[in-house]
Amino acid sequence: MSGRGCRPRDYVDNARAEIAERTTYTPERPLHILEADQKRVSYEDPDHPNGVRNRLWADCDYKIRRRLVESDGSSPIVFLNEFTSEPLAYRTLHGRCRQAR
């Protein structure tokens, strides 16, 4: 996401889809999302005894969020690195927002 003249809506509607299409990003030990809403996420966790976890989004740290994948294997994280297609690091996104301000 170069940020040069790129509005957030344009990114979400166009650039993100193009980046996601060419992605090779696959997190180590992915967590497959079963259900999610504004408050909670339910996902398959191979490291958990019953295989399924339910968490509040607020209780998901960045390590969990980066491992979450949709049923098709794509990342649900909105902002992706334009070169590697990996989820953008929070510090990078923070820097971009600061620059935009």
Side-chain angles (χ1 to χ4, degrees):
M1 185 170 94
S2 66
R4 291 181 283 278
C6 183
R7 297 182 328 208
R9 183 176 300 247
D10 293 337
Y11 171 79
V12 172
D13 290 345
N14 301 312
R16 187 196 184 285
E18 292 172 15
I19 294 169
E21 264 183 33
R22 66 177 191 261
T23 188
T24 57
Y25 174 74
T26 303
E28 189 174 320
R29 297 180 0 261
L31 304 171
H32 294 273
I33 296 173
L34 302 172
E35 287 185 59
D37 60 24
Q38 294 177 354
K39 293 183 180 185
R40 305 185 73 79
V41 61
S42 174
Y43 56 88
E44 292 178 345
D45 184 351
D47 300 334
H48 194 267
N50 75 0
V52 174
R53 296 289 307 255
N54 293 292
R55 288 183 183 253
L56 292 172
W57 281 111
D59 295 335
C60 295
D61 64 11
Y62 79 95
K63 291 177 184 177
I64 291 173
R65 290 177 187 242
R66 289 178 65 91
R67 288 177 58 200
L68 290 170
V69 295
E70 301 282 2
S71 58
D72 65 359
S74 66
S75 174
I77 294 177
V78 173
F79 294 101
L80 304 175
N81 181 301
E82 67 184 304
F83 300 108
T84 65
S85 303
E86 293 183 8
L88 202 61
Y90 287 121
R91 68 182 175 276
T92 304
L93 182 58
H94 182 273
R96 297 259 173 98
C97 291
R98 190 175 58 238
Q99 289 171 341
R101 272 197 312 256

Short mmCIF file of all heavy atoms in Angstrom, two decimals, residues 3-46:
data_model
loop_
_atom_site.label_atom_id
_atom_site.label_comp_id
_atom_site.label_asym_id
_atom_site.label_seq_id
_atom_site.Cartn_x
_atom_site.Cartn_y
_atom_site.Cartn_z
N GLY A 3 0.21 4.32 -0.32
CA GLY A 3 -0.31 5.46 0.40
C GLY A 3 -0.39 6.72 -0.43
O GLY A 3 -1.00 7.69 -0.02
N ARG A 4 0.22 6.75 -1.60
CA ARG A 4 0.20 7.95 -2.44
C ARG A 4 -1.16 8.06 -3.12
O ARG A 4 -1.44 7.39 -4.09
CB ARG A 4 1.31 7.88 -3.48
CG ARG A 4 2.70 7.99 -2.88
CD ARG A 4 3.76 7.94 -3.96
NE ARG A 4 3.99 6.60 -4.45
CZ ARG A 4 4.78 5.71 -3.86
NH1 ARG A 4 5.38 5.99 -2.74
NH2 ARG A 4 4.97 4.51 -4.38
N GLY A 5 -2.01 8.91 -2.53
CA GLY A 5 -3.32 9.15 -3.12
C GLY A 5 -4.28 8.00 -2.94
O GLY A 5 -5.32 7.96 -3.58
N CYS A 6 -3.98 7.06 -2.08
CA CYS A 6 -4.84 5.89 -1.88
C CYS A 6 -5.78 6.14 -0.70
O CYS A 6 -5.33 6.25 0.43
CB CYS A 6 -3.99 4.65 -1.63
SG CYS A 6 -4.97 3.15 -1.46
N ARG A 7 -7.05 6.27 -0.97
CA ARG A 7 -8.02 6.44 0.09
C ARG A 7 -8.35 5.07 0.68
O ARG A 7 -8.29 4.05 -0.02
CB ARG A 7 -9.29 7.08 -0.46
CG ARG A 7 -9.04 8.47 -1.00
CD ARG A 7 -10.32 9.09 -1.50
NE ARG A 7 -11.23 8.08 -2.03
CZ ARG A 7 -12.13 8.31 -2.96
NH1 ARG A 7 -12.26 9.48 -3.46
NH2 ARG A 7 -12.93 7.35 -3.39
N PRO A 8 -8.71 5.02 1.97
CA PRO A 8 -9.02 3.72 2.60
C PRO A 8 -10.07 2.92 1.84
O PRO A 8 -9.93 1.72 1.65
CB PRO A 8 -9.51 4.11 3.99
CG PRO A 8 -8.83 5.40 4.28
CD PRO A 8 -8.74 6.10 2.94
N ARG A 9 -11.13 3.58 1.36
CA ARG A 9 -12.18 2.86 0.63
C ARG A 9 -11.62 2.25 -0.66
O ARG A 9 -11.93 1.12 -1.01
CB ARG A 9 -13.34 3.78 0.32
CG ARG A 9 -14.49 3.06 -0.38
CD ARG A 9 -15.66 3.97 -0.59
NE ARG A 9 -16.14 4.46 0.67
CZ ARG A 9 -17.30 4.16 1.20
NH1 ARG A 9 -18.13 3.38 0.55
NH2 ARG A 9 -17.67 4.65 2.35
N ASP A 10 -10.76 3.00 -1.36
CA ASP A 10 -10.15 2.48 -2.58
C ASP A 10 -9.29 1.26 -2.26
O ASP A 10 -9.28 0.29 -3.01
CB ASP A 10 -9.28 3.54 -3.27
CG ASP A 10 -10.10 4.69 -3.82
OD1 ASP A 10 -11.30 4.50 -4.07
OD2 ASP A 10 -9.53 5.78 -3.99
N TYR A 11 -8.56 1.34 -1.16
CA TYR A 11 -7.72 0.21 -0.76
C TYR A 11 -8.56 -1.03 -0.50
O TYR A 11 -8.30 -2.10 -1.03
CB TYR A 11 -6.90 0.56 0.49
CG TYR A 11 -6.20 -0.65 1.04
CD1 TYR A 11 -5.03 -1.11 0.47
CD2 TYR A 11 -6.72 -1.35 2.12
CE1 TYR A 11 -4.39 -2.25 0.95
CE2 TYR A 11 -6.10 -2.48 2.61
CZ TYR A 11 -4.94 -2.93 2.02
OH TYR A 11 -4.32 -4.05 2.50
N VAL A 12 -9.60 -0.87 0.33
CA VAL A 12 -10.42 -2.02 0.69
C VAL A 12 -11.14 -2.57 -0.53
O VAL A 12 -11.24 -3.79 -0.71
CB VAL A 12 -11.42 -1.64 1.81
CG1 VAL A 12 -12.42 -2.76 2.06
CG2 VAL A 12 -10.67 -1.32 3.10
N ASP A 13 -11.67 -1.71 -1.39
CA ASP A 13 -12.43 -2.15 -2.56
C ASP A 13 -11.56 -2.72 -3.68
O ASP A 13 -12.01 -3.58 -4.43
CB ASP A 13 -13.26 -1.00 -3.13
CG ASP A 13 -14.42 -0.63 -2.22
OD1 ASP A 13 -14.75 -1.42 -1.32
OD2 ASP A 13 -14.99 0.46 -2.41
N ASN A 14 -10.32 -2.24 -3.81
CA ASN A 14 -9.52 -2.62 -4.98
C ASN A 14 -8.15 -3.19 -4.63
O ASN A 14 -7.86 -4.35 -4.90
CB ASN A 14 -9.33 -1.42 -5.92
CG ASN A 14 -10.65 -0.88 -6.41
OD1 ASN A 14 -11.49 -1.63 -6.85
ND2 ASN A 14 -10.84 0.42 -6.30
N ALA A 15 -7.31 -2.37 -4.03
CA ALA A 15 -5.92 -2.76 -3.81
C ALA A 15 -5.80 -4.00 -2.93
O ALA A 15 -5.00 -4.89 -3.22
CB ALA A 15 -5.13 -1.60 -3.20
N ARG A 16 -6.61 -4.10 -1.86
CA ARG A 16 -6.51 -5.25 -0.98
C ARG A 16 -6.84 -6.54 -1.74
O ARG A 16 -6.18 -7.55 -1.59
CB ARG A 16 -7.43 -5.12 0.23
CG ARG A 16 -7.18 -6.26 1.22
CD ARG A 16 -8.28 -6.42 2.24
NE ARG A 16 -7.95 -7.43 3.20
CZ ARG A 16 -7.99 -8.74 2.96
NH1 ARG A 16 -8.32 -9.20 1.77
NH2 ARG A 16 -7.66 -9.61 3.89
N ALA A 17 -7.86 -6.48 -2.57
CA ALA A 17 -8.25 -7.67 -3.35
C ALA A 17 -7.12 -8.10 -4.28
O ALA A 17 -6.84 -9.30 -4.41
CB ALA A 17 -9.52 -7.38 -4.15
N GLU A 18 -6.44 -7.14 -4.90
CA GLU A 18 -5.32 -7.47 -5.79
C GLU A 18 -4.16 -8.09 -5.00
O GLU A 18 -3.55 -9.05 -5.46
CB GLU A 18 -4.85 -6.22 -6.52
CG GLU A 18 -5.86 -5.70 -7.53
CD GLU A 18 -5.45 -4.35 -8.11
OE1 GLU A 18 -4.28 -3.96 -7.96
OE2 GLU A 18 -6.32 -3.70 -8.71
N ILE A 19 -3.86 -7.52 -3.84
CA ILE A 19 -2.79 -8.05 -3.01
C ILE A 19 -3.14 -9.46 -2.54
O ILE A 19 -2.33 -10.38 -2.61
CB ILE A 19 -2.51 -7.13 -1.81
CG1 ILE A 19 -1.96 -5.79 -2.29
CG2 ILE A 19 -1.54 -7.79 -0.83
CD1 ILE A 19 -1.91 -4.73 -1.20
N ALA A 20 -4.38 -9.65 -2.08
CA ALA A 20 -4.82 -10.96 -1.57
C ALA A 20 -4.79 -12.02 -2.66
O ALA A 20 -4.49 -13.19 -2.39
CB ALA A 20 -6.22 -10.85 -0.97
N GLU A 21 -5.07 -11.63 -3.90
CA GLU A 21 -5.06 -12.59 -5.02
C GLU A 21 -3.68 -13.19 -5.25
O GLU A 21 -3.56 -14.35 -5.60
CB GLU A 21 -5.50 -11.89 -6.31
CG GLU A 21 -6.94 -12.08 -6.62
CD GLU A 21 -7.30 -11.43 -7.95
OE1 GLU A 21 -6.46 -11.40 -8.88
OE2 GLU A 21 -8.44 -10.97 -8.05
N ARG A 22 -2.66 -12.40 -5.07
CA ARG A 22 -1.31 -12.88 -5.34
C ARG A 22 -0.59 -13.36 -4.08
O ARG A 22 0.61 -13.56 -4.09
CB ARG A 22 -0.50 -11.81 -6.06
CG ARG A 22 -0.20 -10.58 -5.25
CD ARG A 22 0.68 -9.62 -6.04
NE ARG A 22 1.17 -8.56 -5.20
CZ ARG A 22 0.65 -7.35 -5.14
NH1 ARG A 22 -0.37 -7.04 -5.91
NH2 ARG A 22 1.16 -6.45 -4.33
N THR A 23 -1.34 -13.52 -3.00
CA THR A 23 -0.73 -13.88 -1.73
C THR A 23 -0.13 -15.28 -1.71
O THR A 23 -0.63 -16.19 -2.35
CB THR A 23 -1.73 -13.74 -0.56
OG1 THR A 23 -1.02 -13.92 0.66
CG2 THR A 23 -2.82 -14.77 -0.63
N THR A 24 0.95 -15.37 -1.00
CA THR A 24 1.55 -16.67 -0.71
C THR A 24 1.63 -16.83 0.80
O THR A 24 2.23 -17.76 1.30
CB THR A 24 2.97 -16.78 -1.31
OG1 THR A 24 3.76 -15.71 -0.80
CG2 THR A 24 2.93 -16.72 -2.82
N TYR A 25 1.01 -15.88 1.52
CA TYR A 25 1.06 -15.89 2.98
C TYR A 25 0.23 -17.04 3.54
O TYR A 25 -0.95 -17.17 3.25
CB TYR A 25 0.53 -14.57 3.54
CG TYR A 25 0.41 -14.57 5.04
CD1 TYR A 25 1.55 -14.50 5.84
CD2 TYR A 25 -0.82 -14.66 5.66
CE1 TYR A 25 1.46 -14.50 7.22
CE2 TYR A 25 -0.92 -14.66 7.05
CZ TYR A 25 0.22 -14.59 7.81
OH TYR A 25 0.13 -14.59 9.18
N THR A 26 0.86 -17.86 4.33
CA THR A 26 0.19 -18.91 5.08
C THR A 26 0.82 -18.92 6.46
O THR A 26 2.02 -19.20 6.58
CB THR A 26 0.36 -20.29 4.42
OG1 THR A 26 -0.12 -20.22 3.09
CG2 THR A 26 -0.40 -21.35 5.18
N PRO A 27 0.05 -18.59 7.49
CA PRO A 27 0.65 -18.57 8.82
C PRO A 27 1.03 -19.96 9.30
O PRO A 27 0.44 -20.95 8.87
CB PRO A 27 -0.46 -17.98 9.70
CG PRO A 27 -1.71 -18.30 8.99
CD PRO A 27 -1.37 -18.30 7.52
N GLU A 28 2.03 -20.00 10.16
CA GLU A 28 2.41 -21.27 10.77
C GLU A 28 1.28 -21.67 11.73
O GLU A 28 0.77 -20.84 12.47
CB GLU A 28 3.71 -21.09 11.54
CG GLU A 28 4.30 -22.38 12.02
CD GLU A 28 5.66 -22.17 12.66
OE1 GLU A 28 6.45 -21.36 12.13
OE2 GLU A 28 5.92 -22.82 13.69
N ARG A 29 0.86 -22.92 11.68
CA ARG A 29 -0.23 -23.43 12.52
C ARG A 29 -1.48 -22.54 12.42
O ARG A 29 -1.90 -21.92 13.40
CB ARG A 29 0.23 -23.57 13.98
CG ARG A 29 1.34 -24.57 14.16
CD ARG A 29 1.87 -24.78 15.57
NE ARG A 29 1.29 -24.03 16.64
CZ ARG A 29 1.81 -22.93 17.19
NH1 ARG A 29 2.93 -22.41 16.73
NH2 ARG A 29 1.21 -22.34 18.20
N PRO A 30 -2.09 -22.45 11.23
CA PRO A 30 -3.25 -21.57 11.06
C PRO A 30 -4.43 -21.97 11.94
O PRO A 30 -4.62 -23.14 12.27
CB PRO A 30 -3.60 -21.73 9.57
CG PRO A 30 -3.00 -23.02 9.16
CD PRO A 30 -1.81 -23.23 10.03
N LEU A 31 -5.21 -20.95 12.29
CA LEU A 31 -6.42 -21.13 13.07
C LEU A 31 -7.59 -20.81 12.14
O LEU A 31 -7.75 -19.67 11.72
CB LEU A 31 -6.43 -20.17 14.27
CG LEU A 31 -5.23 -20.26 15.21
CD1 LEU A 31 -5.25 -19.11 16.21
CD2 LEU A 31 -5.21 -21.61 15.91
N HIS A 32 -8.37 -21.81 11.79
CA HIS A 32 -9.47 -21.63 10.82
C HIS A 32 -10.72 -21.09 11.52
O HIS A 32 -11.25 -21.72 12.43
CB HIS A 32 -9.77 -22.94 10.10
CG HIS A 32 -8.65 -23.38 9.23
ND1 HIS A 32 -8.53 -22.96 7.93
CD2 HIS A 32 -7.58 -24.16 9.46
CE1 HIS A 32 -7.44 -23.48 7.40
NE2 HIS A 32 -6.85 -24.21 8.32
N ILE A 33 -11.17 -19.92 11.06
CA ILE A 33 -12.34 -19.27 11.64
C ILE A 33 -13.59 -20.08 11.30
O ILE A 33 -13.83 -20.42 10.15
CB ILE A 33 -12.49 -17.83 11.11
CG1 ILE A 33 -11.30 -16.99 11.54
CG2 ILE A 33 -13.80 -17.22 11.57
CD1 ILE A 33 -11.28 -15.60 10.93
N LEU A 34 -14.38 -20.38 12.33
CA LEU A 34 -15.66 -21.06 12.15
C LEU A 34 -16.80 -20.05 12.13
O LEU A 34 -17.69 -20.14 11.29
CB LEU A 34 -15.88 -22.08 13.27
CG LEU A 34 -14.81 -23.17 13.40
CD1 LEU A 34 -15.04 -24.00 14.65
CD2 LEU A 34 -14.80 -24.04 12.15
N GLU A 35 -16.76 -19.11 13.07
CA GLU A 35 -17.76 -18.05 13.15
C GLU A 35 -17.10 -16.81 13.75
O GLU A 35 -16.17 -16.94 14.55
CB GLU A 35 -18.92 -18.44 14.06
CG GLU A 35 -19.87 -19.46 13.50
CD GLU A 35 -21.04 -19.69 14.45
OE1 GLU A 35 -21.74 -18.70 14.74
OE2 GLU A 35 -21.23 -20.82 14.89
N ALA A 36 -17.63 -15.66 13.39
CA ALA A 36 -17.12 -14.42 13.98
C ALA A 36 -18.20 -13.35 13.88
O ALA A 36 -18.99 -13.33 12.95
CB ALA A 36 -15.86 -13.96 13.26
N ASP A 37 -18.23 -12.51 14.89
CA ASP A 37 -19.10 -11.34 14.85
C ASP A 37 -18.31 -10.17 15.43
O ASP A 37 -17.08 -10.26 15.54
CB ASP A 37 -20.42 -11.58 15.59
CG ASP A 37 -20.25 -11.92 17.07
OD1 ASP A 37 -19.22 -11.55 17.67
OD2 ASP A 37 -21.16 -12.55 17.63
N GLN A 38 -18.98 -9.11 15.79
CA GLN A 38 -18.26 -7.92 16.28
C GLN A 38 -17.59 -8.15 17.62
O GLN A 38 -16.64 -7.44 17.95
CB GLN A 38 -19.21 -6.74 16.37
CG GLN A 38 -19.70 -6.29 15.02
CD GLN A 38 -20.70 -5.14 15.14
OE1 GLN A 38 -21.09 -4.76 16.23
NE2 GLN A 38 -21.11 -4.63 14.00
N LYS A 39 -18.05 -9.12 18.41
CA LYS A 39 -17.51 -9.31 19.75
C LYS A 39 -16.64 -10.55 19.90
O LYS A 39 -15.68 -10.54 20.65
CB LYS A 39 -18.65 -9.41 20.77
CG LYS A 39 -19.41 -8.12 20.93
CD LYS A 39 -20.46 -8.26 22.00
CE LYS A 39 -21.22 -6.95 22.13
NZ LYS A 39 -22.18 -7.00 23.23
N ARG A 40 -16.99 -11.63 19.18
CA ARG A 40 -16.33 -12.92 19.43
C ARG A 40 -15.87 -13.57 18.13
O ARG A 40 -16.38 -13.28 17.06
CB ARG A 40 -17.30 -13.89 20.11
CG ARG A 40 -17.90 -13.37 21.39
CD ARG A 40 -18.75 -14.43 22.06
NE ARG A 40 -17.94 -15.47 22.66
CZ ARG A 40 -17.31 -15.37 23.83
NH1 ARG A 40 -17.40 -14.26 24.51
NH2 ARG A 40 -16.61 -16.36 24.32
N VAL A 41 -14.95 -14.51 18.30
CA VAL A 41 -14.50 -15.33 17.18
C VAL A 41 -14.41 -16.77 17.68
O VAL A 41 -14.00 -17.04 18.80
CB VAL A 41 -13.15 -14.84 16.61
CG1 VAL A 41 -12.04 -14.90 17.65
CG2 VAL A 41 -12.77 -15.62 15.36
N SER A 42 -14.83 -17.68 16.84
CA SER A 42 -14.75 -19.11 17.13
C SER A 42 -13.86 -19.71 16.04
O SER A 42 -14.06 -19.45 14.85
CB SER A 42 -16.14 -19.73 17.08
OG SER A 42 -16.07 -21.13 17.20
N TYR A 43 -12.86 -20.51 16.44
CA TYR A 43 -11.93 -21.04 15.46
C TYR A 43 -11.42 -22.42 15.86
O TYR A 43 -11.44 -22.79 17.03
CB TYR A 43 -10.75 -20.08 15.26
CG TYR A 43 -10.00 -19.74 16.52
CD1 TYR A 43 -8.95 -20.53 16.97
CD2 TYR A 43 -10.35 -18.62 17.27
CE1 TYR A 43 -8.25 -20.21 18.13
CE2 TYR A 43 -9.66 -18.29 18.42
CZ TYR A 43 -8.62 -19.09 18.85
OH TYR A 43 -7.95 -18.78 20.00
N GLU A 44 -10.99 -23.17 14.86
CA GLU A 44 -10.38 -24.48 15.09
C GLU A 44 -8.93 -24.27 15.50
O GLU A 44 -8.18 -23.61 14.79
CB GLU A 44 -10.43 -25.33 13.82
CG GLU A 44 -11.82 -25.75 13.43
CD GLU A 44 -11.83 -26.56 12.15
OE1 GLU A 44 -10.83 -26.57 11.41
OE2 GLU A 44 -12.87 -27.18 11.89
N ASP A 45 -8.57 -24.85 16.65
CA ASP A 45 -7.22 -24.70 17.16
C ASP A 45 -6.62 -26.09 17.38
O ASP A 45 -7.02 -26.80 18.30
CB ASP A 45 -7.24 -23.92 18.48
CG ASP A 45 -5.86 -23.65 19.04
OD1 ASP A 45 -4.87 -24.21 18.52
OD2 ASP A 45 -5.77 -22.88 20.01
N PRO A 46 -5.66 -26.50 16.55
CA PRO A 46 -5.08 -27.83 16.69
C PRO A 46 -4.32 -28.02 18.00
O PRO A 46 -4.10 -29.14 18.44
CB PRO A 46 -4.14 -27.95 15.49
CG PRO A 46 -3.85 -26.55 15.09
CD PRO A 46 -5.06 -25.74 15.46
#
